[in-house]
Amino acid sequence: MAKAPILTPQADDFPRWYQDLIGKAELADNGPVRGTMVIRPYGYSLWERMQSEVDARIKDAGAQNAYFPMFIPENYLTREAEHVEGFSPELAVVTHGGGKQLEEPVVVRPTSETIINEYISKWVQSYRDLPLLINQWANVVRWELRPRVFLRTTEFLWQEGHTAHVSYEDARAYASRIHRQVYGDFMRNVLAIDVVLGRKTARERFAGAINTLTLEGMMGDGKALQMGTSHELGQNFAKAFDIQYLADSGEREYAWQTSWGVSTRMVGGLIMSHGDDNGLRIPPRLAPVQAVVMAIKGDDAVLAAVRDLGDRLKAAGIRAVVDDKTDTPFGRRAVDWELKGVPVRLEIGPRDLEGGTAMLARRIAGGKSPVTLDTAVDTVAAVLAEDQDLLLRQSAERRIARTVDVASIDEAVEAATTGWARMPWADLGPAGEAKLAEQGVSVRCLVTADGDVPDADDQPGNVAILARAY
């Protein structure tokens, strides 16, 4: 009788495969309060790498990191009516503290536009204080009714940027810069996910924004995942929080603002974009461990060779670990590393050592081949570069193959059972968007005919990207 698979096959039950993989690869567990999660060390190492890469790009864009309290006075949220209406169902509100009822309830931050803008209004006096570019790495709480680890949790980790500018044009350009140069570059060139950059419709826009830019990724089952957003806030929050500055003309003006963020949802996107029935496949540029050197047996010569190769890989800048735990069967260890998606395994046993070779196993491209110990470091570096490109290419090929042009709502709903649909926005419009939503299909974003980000919702030639979404 054949052994039962370690993971539920994707083709049998994609959601179950996702949950199996999170557990088997030791990424996370469910927390004690419904909707929360415990991120295990390997899962957190993925988030740390994401955080490091995104943070470097944010700083290159001129923003500085700060930190603001997680408790927000309830009255802050009521100042911007559309904002509080959009978040009201998700709020966690504290009414008691220190054994007493609070004079005013406080909200556990669902996002920090309100509290950060309270302080921006104090810090900005003149046009010389602008642009003010602030970023925060923090946790947020949104009371989630249908939780799923990494994708939708009551508490999650993220970064949120908040900026103030002298003009609409400056704010708009900065929101676009974050969208393209920070998020787009990271997701394509590090996560190796061929995201579509587009504009949200008015129905899907962030509460309180005048425009929302989005990055949508196609997952392995054809559904869409919103990977990140960048918002133009106009002057809505500036007027609510009295963020005015003295212009060089001598007049008092309201600032123009943006906000933008990505979260631990990206870990879920990574899993569902690249994972297969054998486990994770981690893009080499992201991988906390790019190569593992494994001792097949525990004799002294093999262990010495394994450790030497590990040291040489590290000296060459490759994130490598040595697996010399030969008291655990080799097959079990190899399966564990495969589940975790480490891009390269180098396996050395007595016979390999006699021939001066190691067996190189590629997690992303698949297959095994011998490599000489003398050339192993250069070979691994070349393989990592090849496999990074391969993952992005596979992501693009899947998106293109599973996206179809449609001419009606019925065709769009049918296409969304296995992938994405494209439809002229002029033919769909807000009325058609509402009808699609009734059937569980949403307009993920608008793009131009050539796939760029539109300047406006009603720009002629806009195309709606339609899909079922996580």
Side-chain angles (χ1 to χ4, degrees):
M1 181 181 294
K3 288 185 178 180
I6 294 174
L7 305 174
T8 300
Q10 290 185 355
D12 291 354
D13 189 336
F14 194 86
R16 173 53 56 190
W17 165 84
Y18 178 78
Q19 295 295 339
D20 285 352
L21 181 49
I22 286 173
K24 297 289 186 181
E26 300 179 341
L27 299 179
D29 275 326
N30 290 316
V33 175
R34 185 179 184 275
T36 62
M37 62 177 170
V38 174
I39 306 176
R40 299 185 66 177
Y42 189 63
Y44 200 80
S45 72
L46 295 173
W47 174 242
E48 284 181 311
R49 291 284 309 157
M50 293 179 183
Q51 186 179 35
S52 175
E53 292 278 355
V54 172
D55 192 62
R57 287 165 173 78
I58 287 171
K59 287 172 179 171
D60 283 346
Q64 295 179 300
N65 286 340
Y67 185 80
F68 293 80
M70 70 182 297
F71 295 123
I72 302 173
E74 191 175 47
N75 74 81
Y76 281 21
L77 271 79
T78 60
R79 294 189 208 175
E80 214 290 324
E82 186 179 351
H83 187 67
V84 70
E85 182 180 353
F87 278 101
S88 184
E90 300 176 334
L91 297 181
V93 182
V94 179
T95 59
H96 289 71
K100 297 180 180 179
Q101 184 168 346
L102 301 178
E103 292 184 9
E104 179 188 2
V106 296
V107 173
V108 183
R109 62 172 167 237
T111 179
S112 298
E113 273 78 7
T114 57
I115 192 167
I116 291 178
N117 284 328
E118 174 74 9
Y119 286 85
I120 288 178
S121 70
K122 296 179 180 181
W123 299 339
V124 171
Q125 304 298 325
S126 161
Y127 70 92
R128 295 183 182 89
D129 299 322
L130 299 174
L132 181 60
L133 312 174
I134 298 292
N135 179 63
Q136 172 174 244
W137 290 95
N139 63 336
V140 293
V141 171
R142 299 178 184 177
W143 214 256
E144 182 57 55
L145 299 179
R146 297 183 302 277
R148 185 172 295 180
V149 174
F150 289 123
L151 301 178
R152 292 186 180 276
T153 49
T154 295
E155 180 191 12
F156 54 91
L157 306 180
W158 77 346
Q159 60 75 210
E160 49 179 318
H162 301 271
T163 71
H165 304 260
V166 296
S167 68
Y168 164 74
E169 291 77 14
D170 192 39
R172 185 183 189 200
Y174 196 78
S176 178
R177 180 178 182 181
I178 295 295
H179 187 221
R180 295 177 184 274
Q181 296 180 20
V182 176
Y183 297 158
D185 179 76
F186 167 71
M187 290 174 192
R188 285 174 171 160
N189 294 320
V190 179
L191 293 188
I193 299 175
D194 185 53
V195 289
V196 170
L197 278 65
R199 176 188 179 102
K200 286 290 189 184
T201 63
R203 179 189 179 98
E204 297 289 331
R205 196 175 292 156
F206 176 72
I210 62 172
N211 182 32
T212 290
L213 304 173
T214 184
L215 302 100
E216 303 287 331
M218 180 183 281
M219 303 296 99
D221 61 351
K223 288 185 179 180
L225 183 70
Q226 179 181 290
M227 299 284 291
T229 48
S230 180
H231 314 289
E232 299 173 39
L233 301 180
Q235 295 177 311
N236 292 342
F237 287 90
K239 291 177 179 178
F241 288 85
D242 195 30
I243 303 173
Q244 296 189 61
Y245 67 93
L246 186 66
D248 56 4
S249 65
E251 299 293 322
R252 299 290 296 176
E253 302 282 354
Y254 284 106
W256 296 82
Q257 294 186 271
T258 77
S259 68
W260 26 274
V262 293
S263 74
T264 38
R265 169 177 281 211
M266 292 192 297
V267 179
L270 174 77
I271 296 166
M272 294 192 296
S273 291
H274 299 316
D276 62 20
D277 286 347
N278 294 318
L280 294 169
R281 295 192 305 162
I282 306 298
R285 288 180 192 155
L286 179 76
V289 178
Q290 295 174 311
V292 56
V293 189
M294 301 183 66
I296 295 175
K297 292 190 175 181
D299 68 56
D300 291 343
V302 167
L303 293 175
V306 163
R307 291 162 186 164
D308 176 70
L309 181 53
D311 289 342
R312 289 193 288 121
L313 288 165
K314 292 174 186 177
I318 294 168
R319 294 186 292 277
V321 299
V322 168
D323 180 352
D324 54 8
K325 298 177 181 178
T326 53
D327 53 341
T328 299
F330 172 77
R332 180 175 174 180
R333 290 184 286 135
V335 168
D336 285 345
W337 289 116
E338 188 167 55
L339 276 167
K340 287 181 165 63
V342 172
V344 169
R345 296 197 314 273
L346 290 157
E347 304 165 356
I348 302 176
R351 290 185 181 178
D352 302 295
L353 191 57
E354 286 178 8
T357 65
M359 187 62 70
L360 187 149
R362 296 174 66 167
R363 179 67 184 91
I364 295 165
K368 286 187 173 186
S369 59
V371 58
T372 66
L373 293 175
D374 290 342
T375 62
V377 172
D378 290 341
T379 301
V380 168
V383 162
L384 294 175
E386 289 174 10
D387 287 353
Q388 179 76 32
D389 293 342
L390 175 60
L391 277 180
L392 181 60
R393 188 163 65 251
Q394 289 175 343
S395 176
E397 289 169 351
R398 177 178 62 235
R399 180 182 63 80
I400 292 168
R402 298 176 72 171
T403 302
V404 298
D405 292 307
V406 301
S408 70
I409 289 175
D410 287 345
E411 289 180 5
V413 172
E414 176 63 26
T417 60
T418 57
W420 294 3
R422 279 190 305 253
M423 186 174 181
W425 176 241
D427 295 343
L428 183 66
E433 182 180 18
K435 290 180 181 178
L436 277 173
E438 293 173 359
Q439 301 188 63
V441 177
S442 58
V443 179
R444 303 313 305 158
C445 62
L446 301 176
V447 297
T448 63
D450 59 0
D452 205 350
V453 181
D455 293 327
D457 288 11
D458 57 357
Q459 182 176 321
N462 280 354
V463 176
I465 305 296
L466 315 171
R468 300 187 187 277
Y470 284 99

